[in-house]
Structures are given as structure tokens and as C-alpha cells.
Amino acid sequence: YFIQSNLRSTMSAQGSCSRTILLLLVLLLHISSTLLYESTDYLDNYDEHYDVDSEIEALRNEGIFIDSKTTDKRNGAANEETQELLKAKITQIKANVGDFDELSQFENYAKSEESFDIFQMLLLECLVENGESLDLSDDVKAWIYSDKATMEAFFTTGSMYRNRCGKALDILADIIKQDPQAKQGVKHTLAVAVALTFVEEVIDRVYRKPIDGIARYHNFAKWADEGVLFDEFFHLNVWEMRFVVNGKQTDEDYVWARENIAEEYRTAATIGDAVFTMIEYGGTGAKPSEDPTKEPAQWSLAGMNKYGGVCGTFCKFGAGVTEAFGMPATNLAQPGHCAFTNYYNGTW
């Protein structure tokens, strides 16, 4: 009807040629709609054609691993078969899901076992696209791949720099091998947050050197055990935790903050206000010195406290002391200005 109404005048002007084009378009639309109907009908009855679940389970039991670089023909064939089976499973799931009328319906589905294959497929596709591998003979990586909470966190807690899932997998596996407690609780949240954050190099603002992500995990895990972090730290999700571990102050700075913050600011509700009494507006730090021998260093928390500064100093200090107690914070760069925000009680 759309084509007919819009081309009616054109048809009368150009005669039979236009009529021929119109007939071809209508025929093409008819064929397309027929194919779409038949493909949908096939998906609705997918289980009658192929038992995907049992095939996937059989491959898992065989210990098949994905490796885009393998020269073993058997493994290569198994890899392709595994991917195709999982893709078929995803197609089947999508056909059965339908539309969600409310957010709660989607959340319930995301928690279901049925959604697990989607997260696994996302990881496998990501690895293959990057020419990386997942060796399930590595017990820790096999556990990561089989743990729904970890797989869900990998793909639902913010973006991953350049989709470097292989590096994130390696970082998380190394952390768990060094600290088995990273498999559960707040240390699991912390470990996944570190793995996702440090796929990209994080440079500290004090000495302009890369921060060791695994060392940062161990420091925050130790501080959690020592009870020097706010209680709210233990209830963060992975996405929120990423705004703790991605801080650009050094871990030594965080120790300094906890030793020097006044008692009145040692709560999650008041920590963000410490900057207003600990930084002199203007001061000698308004134009930062890049002298590497300056002590304390210009952009260390101790240095900012000593030299003062303007908006940039206020924001770096405010975010830094907040992160020191295990609370999410970040700077907000603006044209010719800067602000910072910290997370508390479910809001920024």
C-alpha cells in the first residue's frame, strides 16, 4: 500500500516501465515476508528438530576448549561445533523470550539459568575475535567460565576497554590463583572489578607510572580484612567497585588519607566534605610544579594538602580521600573547570 500510494503518480507518468518495477518490488516483499514467517515458525519448534542442550552438555563433559589458533584438527572441529551449538542455543532463547513489559521481567530472566549460555557465548565470541583462547584444562579459568555470577559480571557491569576479554580473564585467573577467597563475597566483587578495569593501563597521577592492578586488589583485600574501609564497601556491586579501584592516586596515598582525615569526615556521608577544610583555595599549588624531586609530590594527597590549589586540586583530593575508604568517586572534567562526585546511599 505504501509503495502503491507513493508511486501512483509516477506510474501514470512513466507507464509500463514503472508498473514493471512496482510488480517486482511487490513480488520481492512477498517472498521476504514468506521466508520470515517460515524462519520464525522453525524457531518456535526448534526443540523438535535438535536437542541443543544435550549436545552442549556432551561437549562440556569432553573438556572441549576454544582456541582460534589451534592446529589440532579434532579440537578445531570441536571448537567450530561448540560455537555453532551455542549460537543455535542463543537463537532458540531469543525466539522464546518475547518482549519484556517491565524491568523486573528482564531482571528475572537475567538471573535465570537460561541466560547463562548467552554470557558464555559472549566470552567465546570475544576471545575468537581477538585471536585469543580459553583453555578449560586450566582449573581456575574453567571455574570462571562455569560460574554464572562471574560471567554475568563480565558483560553487565560497564564497558571493557577495546573488548580485551582475554586480558581480563588472565588478570582474574591470576588473582584467584593467588587468593582463592576471590571466588566469593566482597573479594570476588573486588577481583572482577580489578580485572575489568586494568585491561587498560591505569597511570597514577603522582609519578606518572602504571598502577599494578593485582597489587591494588591485594591492598584493598587486606584493608577490608583490617576493617579500615567503610561498611558500604562490602555492599558495592562490580560496577560501583570499578569506581574505587580505578582511582589514580597511589595506594600509599590511600594509607596517608586514612591516617590524616579528621574524625568528623570518617563516614561515608561526610568523607566528600573533607576537601573543604584540607585544601587551601589558591595556595602555591594553583600552577602545579612538575618537579619530580618535590616532596611531598605535587599531586600526592599530602602534596595537595600542603600546597593547595583550585578546582582541579579540590577534585583530585576529594575523589582520592573518598576512594581511600573504599567508596566510589570520580572526577568530572569540564571546559576550564572540574568537579568531582562520590557515591553514597545509592546516589552520586
Side-chain angles (χ1 to χ4, degrees), residues 15 22 29 41 100 105 145-146 160 176 215 227 233 261 265 291 300 302 324 330 344:
L22 176 60
L29 285 170
D41 182 62
F100 297 112
Q105 292 177 310
Y145 180 68
S146 64
M160 190 186 305
I176 293 173
F233 172 83
I261 293 292
Y265 300 119
D291 181 359
S300 67
T330 189
Y344 168 65

Side-chain angles (χ1 to χ4, degrees), residues 144-210:
I144 293 171
Y145 180 68
S146 64
D147 184 67
K148 185 175 185 294
T150 304
M151 285 289 91
E152 183 175 349
F154 255 60
F155 296 103
T156 63
T157 55
S159 61
M160 190 186 305
Y161 179 70
R162 293 187 176 177
N163 225 21
R164 292 179 176 174
C165 46
K167 185 171 183 181
L169 192 65
D170 289 341
I171 294 172
L172 182 58
D174 286 344
I175 290 173
I176 293 173
K177 288 172 184 177
Q178 295 175 26
D179 181 10
Q181 292 184 16
K183 284 186 174 183
Q184 59 187 356
V186 68
K187 291 184 179 179
H188 177 262
T189 303
L190 176 63
V192 176
V194 166
L196 295 175
T197 299
F198 284 87
V199 295
E200 178 182 12
E201 196 171 62
V202 180
I203 305 297
D204 81 69
R205 66 167 51 97
V206 183
Y207 302 109
R208 311 293 189 199
K209 295 180 179 179

Side-chain angles (χ1 to χ4, degrees), residues 294-347:
K294 192 173 185 178
E295 288 293 340
Q298 178 73 42
W299 290 118
S300 67
L301 295 178
M304 289 185 272
N305 172 247
K306 180 177 180 179
Y307 308 125
V310 288
C311 58
T313 302
F314 271 68
C315 296
K316 293 176 178 67
F317 186 88
V321 296
T322 303
E323 294 156 357
F325 288 89
M327 293 299 295
T330 189
N331 291 325
L332 306 171
Q334 302 165 334
H337 189 49
C338 189
F340 87 95
T341 180
N342 61 302
Y343 188 76
Y344 168 65
N345 199 26
T347 60

Side-chain angles (χ1 to χ4, degrees), residues 243-263:
F243 287 93
V244 177
V245 300
N246 72 351
K248 292 181 173 57
Q249 300 303 139
T250 65
D251 289 358
E252 291 75 19
D253 268 335
Y254 294 147
V255 173
W256 180 93
R258 292 193 296 271
E259 291 175 348
N260 289 275
I261 293 292
E263 193 65 34

